[in-house]
């Protein structure tokens, strides 16, 4: 009985590996999965069941059952089931002697072990055993093969250290099969444990001369891969490799060698002389496209092509030209890439291939088009720009289709090409780049460019990257406006078209447009209508645009009032009221910049409104405009025409200025002058006069200015001082101009700081009668600067001391330095006071400066009890009474901090007021 | 690094073969990565588009569709593509000879044999044998061992 059963069991056991039990079991699983495929729930349930079966089976003592379970797990692993929990069982299966089980084990290990390196520690011994070759063992070759495959998928650094010697021994195995596998396995070992490459390099590279071609091929492949990471160590092999290249006729190996030489040639340019003729020869002799491609690739990527190698370049490009028009999209794509690279080496190479590039632009594969786009700058010239741009523009509009031929029923159908968003964005940027390239050199006709820009606005409105595109287009519009004076009318029309465009949701383009409207407001006749339009549309503008809009409408208003068509007072009043109403809505904006500008402008406008009303009451017969409207407001903006300036000029001027012409060190006041000022402090306080050496020549005017200070302070509603205000504002304007002229940072036509080079760039119309006057003014200002030389030290010291004050606020200090600091406080405050008188224009800036310091200063005040300070505070109080009426209350204390910066920031501020986004200053001009 | 992974899935995105030769670089779940690859590739029209897709910052996919199966290789972004297409093609040719007019079901039911083919051709992400005859002969021997 027993004797009968035993063989049956035995037979079953033996049959299992041959497929009976085992095959059915895996088949069952797969069939089960397919049967449950219709509903995810039932599939999930089924898989869970199967998994629990597997869990039981792997615990079985029967090695075949265990191996079977492991195989099923390996299958389930592809469905995303983690099997690392079974790693130990896998190890068991791997260590079984049967070839089948061992193989299942290694397969599972390849799938699973790379997630759990710890298990590898356990298997080092096993691996070393499996890698031992004994000539007697029947299947040892394959056992080793399986082990090597396994090792190469999950080797780690530690494992690599342990087995590298075993692998080295196998390099000289009698079987090419093992040598080949070992070579490739060593590659993984080297990657994990690079030190071993140094020790085994010689033995390894000997395999390049192996008698078996597969081994040579594998060795070349491995060296090729390794040389990607570190080419230099393989350069010594060049002669051997070259010999192989010359003698071998296997295309696979040739391709590998070419790749290898590509890597080597990158670090060893000398290789070029030897290799290039051989590669060119290869190109002539081979018929295989892949070899041809790799040859070109090797030449290009191996940096063997220098900018004057026209012959080789043309040879390559002609090949590529053929590839690029072939039917195979892959070949087209990669050839296009290479074409692109050659084009980058020297754009002249691709010049004659403009037809091809235009052809590629219309390729059905959008990624090929995208590469062709990048090549365009090589072939663009003024003759074909229009053609190229219109080709590109069409791609936005035309629904392109590909005709697909259906071979079965010989019918054709049209399949639309899906043009992805990214590509469209690239189209827009490319068009802009091509047109603006080399300072618009290729543009034959700016009217045409204007229409292109309008079209771009339309097409960009729907793209996701429209914020950036909008500002890019805006920049273009501004540049054209600025640099093509003859066509400003056309550009202005463009802007107004854009502005009035329906469904325009490219809000970022408006920023520059609105700026242009303001800056070139003289071109517009019916400014009132435009102002109304802007005000109507303003709620849709973004914050940046609103910032620009505020001064723009003021400019528009100024130009309109003084335009050729004399405006009557009532209509001016209507516009004024509209503007004031509009600006009032912005005064509560969350953006500081908008808030500040709207308040500034609205105050000016309120003054103007008063002036207009006055004029109406006073003399309705004369009909002239108030001075404020006809001179002051235009004067804000019309002093200079903005001109394009070479990029970087501003910085150069600043650098030069620092070195030579601008004295930043010399103080403005001598010691005695300073003490005089301090002495005069009380007097200043009484009559509200302030004093600087700078304006001492203008004493008379200066007084009137402080009167102005008062009159403004006494609120714009008080119209009694109307005319006086006009005069004063006029003076103020004049004074502002002077300051600009004396400001080394302000680019003027004849500023002393500018050198000959910049004069060329800045040449203004010389019919300006005020030029002479300006010149003298500059001189005057700079005389002052030099006259005050030698007072630097004092100034500097004060600067430092001031900082001490600031620091003192933050740190708790002992009485002594405190007393010190208060006297300084006093001095500085006094000086400050005097400065303030001059700087009516910059009041708002002062008030906006560094609010954070305010609190600290107050704390300081609170903390101080000394009598001296008390006195000082009274002075402060009186002083702030003086200034509190001026549109915004100004903290004196904070000015203590401001003072040093005042000079500089004031100028910056003014510039901002006048030409809002002054980037235009840096636009190139040649 | 040469081939980072070899992946084979059908039109529904069910994975048939997968072998990672380097640790999965993207920290995300393997299944997510596969799903991502599937989405990328299945959305392309394989007849008209080139067979290369940029996948991540370091990896490019080279793929080819044979009947209902996509064969995908993840390779270095800087690598040249055409050679990998030949690899895929050779792999499929060998599968075809080995199974005899291979179809998806062959690979499903004999997935371990398909892996065997893969292991004979590729080792650690590097191609080790490019001769189809040698491969077929070797695989025949291995198959008889079972």
């Amino acid at each position: 009985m027993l004797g009968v059963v035993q063989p049956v069991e035995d037979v079953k056991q033996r049959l299992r590996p041959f497929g009976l039990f085992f095959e059915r079991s895996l088949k069952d699983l797969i069939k089960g999965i397919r049967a449950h495929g219709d509903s995810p729930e039932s599939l999930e349930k089924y898989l869970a069941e199967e998994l629990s079966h597997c869990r039981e089976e792997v615990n079985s003592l029967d090695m075949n059952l265990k191996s079977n379970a492991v195989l099923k797990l390996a299958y389930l692993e592809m469905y995303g089931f983690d099997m690392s929990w079974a790693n130990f069982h896998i190890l068991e299966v791997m260590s079984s002697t049967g070839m089948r089980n061992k193989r299942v084990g290694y397969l599972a290990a390849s799938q699973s072990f790379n997630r759990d390196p710890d298990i590898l520690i356990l298997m080092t011994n096993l691996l070393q055993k499996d890698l031992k070759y004994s000539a007697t063992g029947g299947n040892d070759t394959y056992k080793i093969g399986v082990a090597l495959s396994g090792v190469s998928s999950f080797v780690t650094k530690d494992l690599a250290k342990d087995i590298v010697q075993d692998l080295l021994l196998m390099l000289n195995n009698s079987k090419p099969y093992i040598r080949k596998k070992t070579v490739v396995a060593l590659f993984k070992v080297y990657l994990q444990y690079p030190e071993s490459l140094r020790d085994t390099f010689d033995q390894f590279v000997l395999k390049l001369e192996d008698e078996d071609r597969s081994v040579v091929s594998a060795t070349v492949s491995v060296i090729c891969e390794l040389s990607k990471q570190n080419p230099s160590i393989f350069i010594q092999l060049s002669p051997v490799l070259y010999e192989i290249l010359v003698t071998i006729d296997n295309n696979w190996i040739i391709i590998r060698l070419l790749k290898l030489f590509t890597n080597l040639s990158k670090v060893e340019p000398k290789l070029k002389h030897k290799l290039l003729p051989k590669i060119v020869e290869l190109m002539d002799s081979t018929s295989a496209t892949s070899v041809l491609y790799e040859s070109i690739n090797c030449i290009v990527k191996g940096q063997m092509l220098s900018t004057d190698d026209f012959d080789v370049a043309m040879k390559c490009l002609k090949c590529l030209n053929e590839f690029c028009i072939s039917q195979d999209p892959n070949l087209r794509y990669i050839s296009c890439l290479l074409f692109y690279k050659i084009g980058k080496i020297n754009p002249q190479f691709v010049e004659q291939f403009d037809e091809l590039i235009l052809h590629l632009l219309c390729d059905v594969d959008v990624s090929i088009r995208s590469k062709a786009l990048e090549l365009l700058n090589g072939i663009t010239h003024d003759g074909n720009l229009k053609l190229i741009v219109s080709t590109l523009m069409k791609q936005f509009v035309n629904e392109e289709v590909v005709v697909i031929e259906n071979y079965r029923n010989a019918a054709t159908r049209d399949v639309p090409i899906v043009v992805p968003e990214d590509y469209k964005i690239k189209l827009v940027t490319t068009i802009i780049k091509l047109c603006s390239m080399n300072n618009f050199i290729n543009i034959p006709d700016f009217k045409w460019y204007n229409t292109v820009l309008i079209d771009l606005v339309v097409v960009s409105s729907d793209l996701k990257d429209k914020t950036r595109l909008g500002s890019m287009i805006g920049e273009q519009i501004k540049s054209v406006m600025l640099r093509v004076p003859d066509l400003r009318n056309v550009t202005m029309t463009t802007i107004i078209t854009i502005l009035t465009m329906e469904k325009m949701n490219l809000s970022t383009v408006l920023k520059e447009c609105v700026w242009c409207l303001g800056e070139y407001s003289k071109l517009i006749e019916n400014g009132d209508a435009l102002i109304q339009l802007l005000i109507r549309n303003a709620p849709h503008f973004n914050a940046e645009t609103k910032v620009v809009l505020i001064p723009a409408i003021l400019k528009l208003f100024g130009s309109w009032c003084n335009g050729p068509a004399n405006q009557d007072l009532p209509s001016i009043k209507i516009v004024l009221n509209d503007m004031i109403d509009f600006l009032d809505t912005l005064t509560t904006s969350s953006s500081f910049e908008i808030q500040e500008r709207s308040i500034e402008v609205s105050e000016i406008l309120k003054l103007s409104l008063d002036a207009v009303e006055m004029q109406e009451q006073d003399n309705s017969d004369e009909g002239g405009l108030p001075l404020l409207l006809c001179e002051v407001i235009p004067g804000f903006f019309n002093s200079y025409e903005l001109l394009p300036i070479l990029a970087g000029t501003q910085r150069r001027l600043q650098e030069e200025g620092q070195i030579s012409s601008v004295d930043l060190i010399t103080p403005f006041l001598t010691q005695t002058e300073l003490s005089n000022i301090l002495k005069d402090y009380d007097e200043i306080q009484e009559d509200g006069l302030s004093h600087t050496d700078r304006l001492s020549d203008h004493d008379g005017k200066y007084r009137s200015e402080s009167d102005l200070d008062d009159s403004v302070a006494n609120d714009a509603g008080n119209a009694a001082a109307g005319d006086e205000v006009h005069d004063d504002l006029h003076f103020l304007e004049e004074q502002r101009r002077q300051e600009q002229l004396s400001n080394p940072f302000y680019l003027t036509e004849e500023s002393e700081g500018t050198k000959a080079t910049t004069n060329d760039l800045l040449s203004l119309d010389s019919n300006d009668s005020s030029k002479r006057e300006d010149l003298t003014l500059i001189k005057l200002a700079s005389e002052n600067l030099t006259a005050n030389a030698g007072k630097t030290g004092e100034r500097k010291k004060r600067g430092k001391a001031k900082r001490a004050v600031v620091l003192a606020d933050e740190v708790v200090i002992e009485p002594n330095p405190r007393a010190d600091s208060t006297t300084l406080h006093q001095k500085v405050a006094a000086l400050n006071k005097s400065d303030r008188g001059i700087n009516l224009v910059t009041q708002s800036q002062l008030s906006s400066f560094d609010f954070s310091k305010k609190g600290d200063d107050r704390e300081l005040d609170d903390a101080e009890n000394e009598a001296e300070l008390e006195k000082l505070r009274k002075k402060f109080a009186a002083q702030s009474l003086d200034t509190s009426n001026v549109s915004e209350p100004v903290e004196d204390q904070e000015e203590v901090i401001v003072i040093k910066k005042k000079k500089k920031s004031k100028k910056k501020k003014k510039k901002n007021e006048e030409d809002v986004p002054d980037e235009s200053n840096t636009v190139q001009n040649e | 690094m040469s081939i980072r992974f070899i992946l084979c899935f059908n039109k529904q995105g069910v994975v048939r073969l997968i072998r990672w030769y380097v640790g999965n670089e993207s920290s995300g779940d393997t299944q997510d990565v596969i799903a991502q690859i599937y989405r990328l590739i299945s959305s392309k029209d394989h007849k008209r588009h080139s067979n290369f897709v940029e996948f991540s910052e370091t990896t490019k996919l080279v793929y080819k569709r044979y009947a209902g199966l996509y064969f995908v290789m993840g390779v270095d972004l800087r690598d040249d593509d055409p050679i990998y297409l030949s690899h895929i093609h050779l792999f499929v040719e060998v599968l075809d000879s080995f199974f005899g007019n291979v179809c998806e079901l062959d690979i499903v039911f004999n997935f371990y044999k398909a892996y065997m083919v893969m292991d004979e051709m590729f080792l650690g992400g590097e191609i080790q044998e490019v001769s189809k005859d040698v491969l077929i002969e070797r695989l025949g021997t291995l198959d008889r061992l079972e």
Side-chain angles (χ1 to χ4, degrees):
Chain A
M1 188 86 181
L2 207 73
V4 179
V5 172
Q6 200 88 37
V8 172
E9 276 301 307
D10 200 34
V11 166
K12 266 191 180 174
Q13 282 280 8
R14 273 192 287 137
L15 276 179
R16 271 181 193 162
F18 291 92
L20 282 183
F21 169 83
F22 153 72
E23 287 286 272
R24 220 180 71 226
S25 173
L26 179 68
K27 261 185 190 143
D28 284 345
L29 173 70
I30 295 167
K31 278 180 181 163
I33 290 175
R34 293 171 73 83
H36 291 84
D38 42 356
S39 95
E41 294 84 22
S42 70
L43 181 65
E44 204 173 303
K45 199 173 151 220
Y46 176 75
L47 288 175
E49 262 173 41
E50 284 297 320
L51 263 180
S52 63
H53 279 305
C54 288
R55 274 175 199 276
E56 282 169 30
E57 284 170 15
V58 288
N59 285 319
S60 155
L61 289 175
D62 181 347
M63 191 48 86
N64 289 329
L65 201 59
K66 195 190 269 286
S67 124
N68 186 35
V70 166
L71 187 64
K72 283 198 283 185
L73 283 173
Y75 186 78
L76 289 174
E77 206 262 353
M78 287 197 290
Y79 282 80
F81 292 96
D82 181 35
M83 63 182 290
S84 53
W85 55 269
N87 277 351
F88 193 74
H89 299 295
I90 295 173
L91 205 58
E92 276 184 307
V93 175
M94 283 165 81
S95 61
S96 78
T97 46
M99 185 63 190
R100 147 138 295 282
N101 290 342
K102 193 176 271 302
R103 201 192 262 156
V104 169
Y106 272 101
L107 170 63
S110 309
Q111 301 290 89
S112 168
F113 280 10
N114 51 8
R115 294 196 190 159
D116 180 16
D118 293 340
I119 191 79
L120 297 175
I121 300 164
L122 296 173
M123 66 173 296
T124 312
N125 271 331
L126 170 68
L127 262 178
Q128 281 173 335
K129 210 175 89 196
D130 279 353
L131 291 174
K132 278 246 165 54
Y133 179 78
S134 63
T136 50
N139 290 329
D140 267 12
T141 311
Y142 299 102
K143 184 190 77 183
I144 293 175
V146 169
L148 284 172
S149 295
V151 165
S152 52
S153 3
F154 51 67
V155 70
T156 58
K157 182 162 186 173
D158 291 331
L159 194 60
K161 275 183 194 164
D162 290 334
I163 61 168
V164 64
Q165 285 307 322
D166 301 275
L167 290 177
L168 271 186
L169 284 178
M170 284 158 56
L171 274 181
N172 298 320
N173 194 291
S174 58
K175 304 258 179 174
Y177 178 74
I178 292 182
R179 291 205 301 273
K180 175 187 73 184
K181 283 213 165 196
T182 309
V183 163
V184 188
L186 269 171
F187 166 55
K188 297 292 282 191
V189 169
Y190 291 150
L191 283 184
Q192 293 292 335
Y193 178 45
E195 292 89 335
S196 61
L197 178 60
R198 193 184 47 214
D199 303 334
T200 64
F201 186 82
D202 294 337
Q203 279 167 282
F204 182 74
V205 297
L206 267 185
K207 293 295 122 193
L208 279 176
E209 290 156 36
D210 198 279
E211 63 209 25
D212 187 88
R213 184 166 280 184
S214 311
V215 179
V216 175
S217 165
T219 316
V220 169
S221 296
V222 169
I223 292 179
C224 174
E225 288 302 327
L226 288 173
S227 68
K228 268 188 206 163
Q229 328 238 346
N230 187 355
S232 47
I233 49 171
F234 295 103
I235 286 173
Q236 47 174 307
L237 299 176
S238 305
V240 186
L241 294 169
Y242 182 79
E243 202 51 42
I244 300 174
L245 181 69
V246 175
T247 51
I248 214 150
D249 58 351
N250 182 317
N251 281 349
W252 283 92
I253 301 182
I254 290 178
I255 290 173
R256 277 294 173 183
L257 277 171
L258 286 171
K259 283 183 181 300
L260 173 53
F261 276 123
T262 309
N263 296 333
L264 297 186
S265 175
K266 277 179 194 163
V267 289
E268 182 51 270
K270 279 184 214 154
L271 282 175
K272 174 185 167 181
H273 305 295
K274 186 107 174 144
L275 274 176
L276 198 55
K278 172 65 192 164
I279 295 174
V280 172
E281 192 190 310
L282 197 65
M283 283 170 72
D284 288 330
S285 61
T286 188
S287 56
T289 312
S290 54
V291 175
L292 207 50
Y293 168 79
E294 286 301 336
S295 304
I296 301 171
N297 195 35
C298 181
I299 293 174
V300 176
K301 290 200 182 146
Q303 292 158 6
M304 294 184 210
L305 204 60
S306 39
T307 46
D308 51 354
D309 286 340
F310 273 89
D311 289 345
V312 180
M314 284 307 136
K315 192 176 175 61
C316 296
L317 287 172
K318 276 186 188 129
C319 272
L320 292 175
N321 194 3
E322 277 172 39
F323 294 163
C324 285
I325 52 177
S326 79
Q327 287 301 306
D328 181 356
N330 297 317
L331 193 58
R332 280 211 307 273
Y333 178 73
I334 54 176
S335 308
C336 184
L337 281 186
L338 271 188
F339 202 93
Y340 171 74
K341 289 208 171 94
I342 296 180
K344 283 277 160 116
I345 292 172
N346 184 352
Q348 286 174 341
F349 288 157
V350 293
E351 248 170 20
Q352 53 171 294
F353 293 95
D354 51 342
E355 262 180 48
L356 172 68
I357 294 172
L358 288 176
H359 177 79
L360 291 175
L361 270 185
C362 305
D363 197 279
V364 285
D365 188 340
V366 176
S367 46
I368 289 182
R369 285 189 198 180
S370 170
K371 284 292 166 196
L373 275 186
E374 292 177 36
L375 281 178
L376 279 175
N377 56 0
I379 60 156
T380 309
H381 50 82
D382 55 350
N384 64 6
L385 181 73
K386 274 189 178 181
L387 174 71
I388 291 173
V389 171
S390 68
T391 312
L392 298 181
M393 288 305 260
K394 270 183 204 152
Q395 299 190 2
F396 284 108
V397 195
N398 295 0
E399 180 87 343
E400 283 168 281
V401 290
V402 197
V403 181
I404 300 276
E405 283 176 31
N406 196 331
Y407 293 106
R408 273 178 213 149
N409 48 17
T412 58
R413 65 197 168 98
D414 291 348
V415 179
I417 295 178
V418 185
V419 180
E421 190 106 307
D422 287 340
Y423 177 70
K424 287 187 175 171
I425 292 170
K426 201 169 177 183
L427 273 180
V428 176
T429 49
T430 308
I431 291 175
I432 293 178
K433 204 173 78 192
L434 290 180
C435 291
S436 59
M437 192 164 83
N438 294 338
N439 200 23
F440 299 105
I441 198 163
N442 291 327
I443 293 203
D445 172 5
F446 276 95
K447 269 185 194 163
W448 166 82
Y449 190 42
N450 264 301
T451 59
V452 169
L453 286 173
I454 294 179
D455 292 342
L456 285 180
V457 170
V458 176
V459 294
S460 310
S461 300
D462 308 325
L463 299 178
K464 63 181 175 197
D465 204 11
K466 60 184 178 188
T467 324
R468 189 174 62 87
L469 293 179
S471 39
M472 270 178 84
I473 300 170
E475 286 289 332
Q476 291 297 307
I477 293 175
K478 189 173 73 177
S479 288
V480 172
M481 190 66 155
L482 206 68
R483 298 206 219 176
V484 194
D486 293 347
L487 281 176
R488 281 194 185 140
N489 277 321
V490 178
T491 317
M492 194 53 103
T493 321
T494 305
I495 290 173
I496 290 173
T497 316
I498 292 170
L499 202 66
T500 51
M501 221 176 255
E502 272 179 39
K503 290 197 295 182
M504 232 288 293
N505 44 13
L506 193 71
S507 53
T508 41
V509 78
L510 291 175
K511 182 185 165 199
E512 311 294 351
C513 287
V514 168
W515 180 83
C516 290
L517 283 180
E519 191 59 30
Y520 298 97
S521 52
K522 285 211 181 84
L523 299 170
I524 295 164
E525 215 165 279
N526 54 344
D528 52 340
L530 188 57
I531 291 172
Q532 313 262 8
L533 175 77
L534 283 171
I535 289 175
R536 256 202 321 281
N537 288 349
H540 309 298
F541 291 176
N542 60 11
E544 280 186 340
T545 312
K546 281 181 187 161
V547 168
V548 184
L549 174 69
I550 296 165
I553 58 172
L554 185 61
K555 290 177 194 171
L556 274 170
F557 175 70
S559 307
W560 171 66
C561 288
N562 300 290
N566 267 329
Q567 309 301 337
D568 54 345
L569 292 174
S571 53
I572 288 180
K573 254 175 80 180
I574 293 168
V575 176
L576 266 174
N577 275 318
D578 284 347
M579 287 163 70
I580 291 169
D581 287 347
F582 165 65
L583 290 172
D584 280 345
T585 62
L586 295 181
T587 50
T588 52
S589 164
S590 58
S591 153
F592 282 136
E593 193 64 30
I594 296 177
Q595 223 181 69
E596 189 184 322
R597 289 187 180 199
S598 59
I599 290 171
E600 283 168 7
V601 173
S602 107
E603 287 306 320
I604 293 170
L605 292 177
K606 279 175 187 163
L607 278 178
S608 314
L609 187 62
D610 291 339
V612 171
E613 276 167 357
M614 282 282 297
Q615 192 90 350
E616 266 186 326
Q617 284 168 13
D618 282 5
N619 41 3
S620 45
D621 308 335
E622 283 182 29
L625 291 174
L627 198 59
L628 189 62
L629 288 188
C630 64
E631 289 201 20
V632 178
I633 291 180
F636 279 169
F637 306 114
N638 297 342
S639 307
Y640 313 100
E641 191 191 2
L642 279 177
L643 291 175
I645 291 168
L646 189 71
T649 307
Q650 185 104 11
R651 179 179 305 160
R652 207 166 53 236
L653 269 181
Q654 283 178 4
E655 281 161 6
E656 279 173 11
Q658 274 164 11
I659 297 161
S660 57
S661 59
V662 185
D663 184 357
L664 293 173
I665 305 163
T666 318
F668 296 138
L669 299 175
T670 58
Q671 189 79 46
T672 42
E673 275 173 317
L674 184 70
S675 53
N676 282 342
I677 290 173
L678 292 174
K679 233 183 276 170
D680 291 348
Y681 181 75
D682 288 334
E683 193 187 329
I684 292 163
Q685 202 180 359
E686 272 164 33
D687 58 15
L689 249 184
S690 48
H691 188 96
T692 59
D693 58 336
R694 171 109 165 263
L695 284 174
S696 54
D697 334 20
H698 300 280
D699 215 40
K701 279 186 177 179
Y702 177 61
R703 268 170 202 282
S704 60
E705 191 214 334
S706 50
D707 286 346
L708 167 75
D709 191 342
D710 284 339
S711 62
V712 176
N714 289 340
D715 184 30
N718 183 0
D723 282 345
E724 206 183 330
V725 170
H726 299 160
D727 284 338
D728 289 335
L729 280 177
H730 183 60
F731 164 71
L732 199 64
E733 162 58 24
E734 191 56 46
Q735 186 199 331
R736 205 172 58 85
R737 194 176 297 175
Q738 285 170 25
E739 277 181 35
Q740 278 167 10
L741 289 169
S742 62
N743 184 347
F745 298 106
Y746 203 92
L747 291 173
T748 59
E749 64 271 42
E750 287 296 331
S751 161
E752 287 192 347
T754 56
K755 297 285 178 222
T757 48
T758 50
N759 274 342
D760 294 344
L761 294 166
L762 296 169
S763 65
L764 265 187
D765 297 350
S766 49
N767 57 2
D768 190 356
S769 60
S770 66
K771 200 169 175 182
R772 178 181 292 271
E773 197 183 308
D774 288 346
L775 268 174
T776 55
L777 284 171
I778 299 168
K779 211 174 168 194
L780 188 129
S782 56
E783 264 170 12
N784 269 329
L785 275 175
T786 45
N788 290 326
K791 301 159 194 169
T792 335
E794 174 61 22
R795 179 84 179 187
K796 219 175 181 177
K797 215 157 105 195
R798 223 167 347 116
K800 269 186 192 160
K802 217 175 2 164
R803 182 162 299 159
V805 175
V806 178
L807 276 173
D809 292 342
E810 286 157 1
V811 188
V812 182
I813 322 153
E814 286 131 348
N816 236 1
R818 173 63 57 84
D820 225 349
S821 70
T822 47
T823 49
L824 270 165
H825 234 135
Q826 195 178 358
K827 282 183 193 171
V828 168
L831 193 89
N832 214 22
K833 169 67 185 167
S834 59
D835 268 3
R836 162 105 54 69
I838 316 162
N839 294 325
L840 185 76
V841 199
T842 60
Q843 267 171 3
S844 58
Q845 176 234 337
L846 287 176
S847 65
S848 66
F849 186 85
D850 205 346
F851 289 98
S852 59
K853 293 281 192 285
K854 211 192 252 179
D856 292 345
D857 283 354
R858 279 210 187 111
E859 267 172 34
L860 179 75
D861 280 2
D862 293 344
E864 285 174 349
N865 295 316
E866 290 158 74
E868 213 180 341
L869 250 190
E870 197 58 47
K871 209 166 110 193
L872 187 69
R873 205 181 293 157
K874 269 181 201 156
K875 281 177 189 168
F876 284 154
Q879 193 184 357
S880 62
L881 262 183
D882 266 353
T883 53
S884 61
N885 290 337
V886 183
S887 58
E888 286 177 58
V890 181
E891 273 296 321
D892 289 327
Q893 296 293 318
E894 87 198 50
E895 286 186 47
V896 174
I897 303 144
V898 175
I899 184 165
K900 193 182 173 191
K901 288 185 178 171
K902 189 178 267 174
K903 184 105 188 143
K904 212 168 177 179
S905 53
K906 179 175 73 184
K907 282 158 186 169
K908 268 187 200 153
K909 180 70 198 171
K910 261 184 211 151
K911 214 164 90 188
N912 278 346
E913 272 172 15
E914 185 168 88
D915 44 318
V916 181
D918 59 347
E919 300 138 70
S920 57
N921 283 351
T922 55
V923 185
Q924 291 194 354
N925 181 30
E926 274 150 46
Chain B
M1 195 51 229
S2 43
I3 302 165
R4 290 159 197 265
F5 56 84
I6 299 175
L7 175 63
C8 172
F9 51 73
N10 65 10
K11 275 197 266 187
Q12 287 76 42
V14 181
V15 179
R16 291 309 176 201
L17 297 171
I18 177 148
R19 170 63 53 85
W20 298 95
Y21 289 111
V22 281
N24 186 4
E25 57 185 274
S26 48
S27 52
D29 187 34
T30 317
Q31 292 300 312
D32 285 350
V33 176
I34 294 171
Q36 229 176 318
I37 293 172
Y38 169 67
R39 270 200 302 278
L40 250 178
I41 285 176
S42 60
S43 66
K44 282 197 124 194
D45 184 333
H46 73 119
K47 278 213 175 89
R48 286 183 290 104
H49 282 137
S50 57
N51 300 34
F52 316 113
V53 198
E54 287 183 12
F55 176 58
S56 69
E57 276 160 29
T58 50
T59 312
K60 175 158 59 181
L61 303 177
V62 182
Y63 73 97
K64 200 152 170 63
R65 195 177 118 180
Y66 291 90
L69 279 184
Y70 288 98
F71 289 83
V72 187
M73 281 185 185
V75 301
D76 194 293
L77 198 58
R78 294 161 300 175
D79 258 358
D80 297 304
D81 323 299
I83 190 111
Y84 295 109
L85 268 184
S86 331
H87 288 174
I88 293 178
H89 191 71
L90 182 64
F91 181 49
V92 175
E93 267 185 23
V94 173
L95 281 177
D96 197 54
S97 315
F98 180 68
F99 286 107
N101 202 7
V102 70
C103 68
E104 188 180 343
L105 279 182
D106 288 326
I107 295 178
V108 172
F109 284 102
N110 296 295
F111 80 100
Y112 54 96
K113 286 188 183 172
Y115 276 120
M116 184 174 81
V117 176
M118 197 190 277
D119 282 341
E120 280 309 302
M121 264 190 79
F122 304 100
L123 215 145
E126 190 55 62
I127 191 153
Q128 53 158 327
E129 182 57 68
V130 289
S131 159
K132 192 174 151 192
D133 296 336
V134 173
L135 280 167
I136 293 296
E137 192 204 322
R138 186 72 60 196
L139 286 165
T141 324
L142 278 169
D143 200 32
R144 279 193 300 278
L145 280 177
E146 310 231 330

